Amino acid sequence: MKIYLETPVAGHFRDVFAQFDQSLFVKLTPPFPPVELQRFDGSRVGDQYHIDLKLPFLRQTWQGHITEAGETETECWFVDEGLQLPFFLQSWHHRHTVRQQGDHCVIIDDITYEAPFRWLTYLLHPSMWLQFAYRKPLYRKVFGAPPR
């Protein structure tokens, strides 16, 4: 299943990308389910993040690592993939891209995931989409809206 969201924000792509750190990671975390950050190394290849999801009556670990990162004249990106995922996910691939577009840039969340069962993958889709759509106003709050 895929989720693809673009959020235009103010600023140069390199300046925006430089702020993808632990502080932003925490700010982008939706209120549900509550999470506890255990580890955050950064967004370079080999870096890891570990979070505990506090689901009702259940605590689940989500661990991921950065498998790819790069930069061109117009964009920067990194990819995180799941190492240890909660029971409801079988695979996770999230490409974070910040691309210059004229006098502003666009943050792109490009996610591919699978649950252990096809029906569960489809059932999860609305809530997974909401978890990342939640970031759009937060990105604009942190970086500012692009000029009109």
Side-chain angles (χ1 to χ4, degrees):
M1 183 66 71
K2 286 199 60 88
I3 297 170
Y4 184 90
L5 295 168
E6 292 188 1
T7 308
V9 297
H12 188 272
F13 78 100
R14 285 190 178 101
D15 297 331
V16 169
F17 188 78
Q19 294 182 61
F20 274 73
D21 58 11
Q22 181 172 332
S23 174
L24 183 62
F25 186 89
V26 171
K27 285 178 189 168
L28 295 175
T29 304
F32 186 83
V35 301
E36 187 175 301
L37 182 62
Q38 300 296 327
R39 175 179 175 177
F40 183 90
D41 299 342
S43 54
R44 295 182 313 256
V45 173
D47 287 349
Q48 292 189 22
Y49 62 91
H50 299 179
I51 57 175
D52 285 338
L53 300 174
K54 297 176 182 179
L55 301 167
F57 311 110
L58 185 62
R59 198 174 176 113
Q60 289 285 293
T61 299
W62 184 322
Q63 296 180 3
H65 63 140
I66 308 306
T67 58
E68 181 185 333
E71 181 177 335
T72 68
E73 290 300 313
T74 58
E75 70 180 29
C76 297
W77 72 90
F78 67 93
V79 174
D80 75 82
E81 295 190 31
L83 284 171
Q84 180 181 348
L85 296 168
F87 73 92
F88 53 85
L89 287 175
Q90 183 175 326
S91 66
W92 181 263
H93 181 275
H94 182 179
R95 182 181 174 99
H96 309 254
T97 304
V98 182
R99 180 177 297 147
Q100 193 67 35
Q101 284 194 342
D103 61 355
H104 67 279
C105 63
V106 176
I107 299 172
I108 301 167
D109 287 298
D110 186 359
I111 301 149
T112 305
Y113 69 92
E114 268 188 69
F117 307 102
R118 178 170 276 185
W119 62 266
L120 183 55
T121 301
Y122 287 101
L123 187 64
L124 284 172
H125 189 71
S127 63
M128 294 296 263
W129 185 88
L130 282 171
Q131 297 285 322
F132 286 90
Y134 172 83
R135 293 178 169 202
K136 292 174 81 64
L138 297 175
Y139 282 144
R140 287 188 203 100
K141 183 177 180 180
V142 170
F143 302 113
R148 293 181 186 235

